[in-house]
Amino acid sequence: MKWTLILFWLLVSALCIAQTTPASPSSEDQSPPSAQDGHRNGQRPHGIAGTITAIDAHSITLKTRDGQTAQVALDDKTQYRKGREAAALGDFKVGDMVFVRGEKTSENAWQAAVVGSRGQNDGSGGNFAEGMGKRFIAGEIKSIDGTQLTIQRPDGVTQKISVDEDTSFRKNGESITLADLKPGDHVSGRGELKNDVFVPAVLNVGQPKFGMQGQNEAPAPH
């Protein structure tokens, strides 16, 4: 009887140990995260945006918002999008404002994974090109004369805009004033025409971030 009790308690102890020992992680659980997993975790692919100045079957040349020239290589894996719709290389032309996502291969050179544009709408009910200078502005300040600013837009057009007492100015999320602006700064913002002159409601200083712009920034392609 004594040995029977001892054997019984040994069996119970062995079962308890087996149930409380954690299972070894599977080889699948131990595998390192992939680049795709990183993208799901919020890591964004690298990219660049600008206006097409040349295009052929193998490459696109862009003029970026800071006036630089970028070369974008294309291959049979490159995808094309206009707005939310799939597109083809033939749907793009010189003068189009586009974004490119892919790998930076050297200074001002990229291998494109995706080339896209905003498509037909600028997000406020009109054509993107028609909205530039009427509903929003983006570009480089060339000169400042009182409350009048001369802007070199990404599409190559030079436009004079005016600010008024209702215009607010922001840089890196902080409020600034007109006196903080200078020629060479890149600005963007939404506004409206007043007496045929564009007046921004908010003027943001700095390069617009495509796909991450706020309500008051000029829309970027995405």
Side-chain angles (χ1 to χ4, degrees):
M1 184 66 179
K2 178 180 178 181
W3 286 106
T4 300
L5 289 174
I6 293 173
L7 290 174
F8 174 76
W9 285 112
L10 287 174
L11 178 61
V12 171
S13 299
L15 289 173
C16 290
I17 292 173
Q19 291 177 350
T20 57
T21 301
S24 298
S26 66
S27 59
E28 182 178 354
D29 294 336
Q30 293 175 336
S31 61
S34 65
Q36 187 175 7
D37 294 332
H39 180 60
R40 294 194 190 102
N41 290 335
Q43 298 177 2
R44 292 179 176 271
H46 297 294
I48 192 171
T51 303
I52 297 176
T53 58
I55 184 170
D56 60 34
H58 306 290
S59 66
I60 293 174
T61 303
L62 296 180
K63 180 180 180 180
T64 65
R65 290 186 177 94
D66 58 3
Q68 300 293 315
T69 298
Q71 296 293 333
V72 179
L74 311 173
D75 59 24
D76 56 359
K77 296 180 180 179
T78 302
Q79 300 179 24
Y80 304 92
R81 301 194 67 83
K82 283 212 166 186
R84 298 182 179 181
E85 302 297 325
L89 177 60
D91 295 320
F92 297 90
K93 64 184 183 302
V94 171
D96 285 348
M97 296 179 65
V98 298
F99 73 85
V100 174
R101 290 189 181 135
E103 295 297 325
K104 188 174 184 179
T105 55
S106 63
E107 188 67 22
N108 294 327
W110 299 77
Q111 176 63 53
V114 179
V115 176
S117 70
R118 195 172 182 85
Q120 294 300 314
N121 294 327
D122 66 4
S124 58
N127 182 273
F128 179 77
E130 292 178 356
M132 175 67 79
K134 298 178 182 179
R135 290 184 295 272
F136 57 86
I137 193 69
E140 179 185 348
I141 298 176
K142 305 305 289 185
S143 65
I144 302 175
D145 182 11
T147 59
Q148 188 176 77
L149 287 68
T150 301
I151 306 296
Q152 179 73 48
R153 296 177 356 194
D155 57 4
V157 174
T158 299
Q159 180 175 352
K160 293 183 183 295
I161 69 172
S162 291
V163 298
D164 59 19
E165 63 276 6
D166 295 323
T167 303
S168 60
F169 305 89
R170 300 188 67 82
K171 182 176 183 179
N172 298 326
E174 301 292 333
S175 179
I176 60 173
T177 68
L178 175 60
D180 296 312
L181 274 61
K182 63 184 184 301
D185 284 343
H186 288 80
V187 295
S188 61
R190 292 187 180 274
E192 61 181 348
L193 290 177
K194 296 182 180 180
N195 298 320
D196 294 326
V197 177
F198 180 81
V199 179
V202 176
L203 204 57
N204 301 284
V205 181
Q207 293 284 358
K209 299 177 174 61
F210 54 87
M212 298 179 64
Q213 71 272 15
Q215 183 66 25
N216 294 318
E217 291 179 348
H222 66 270

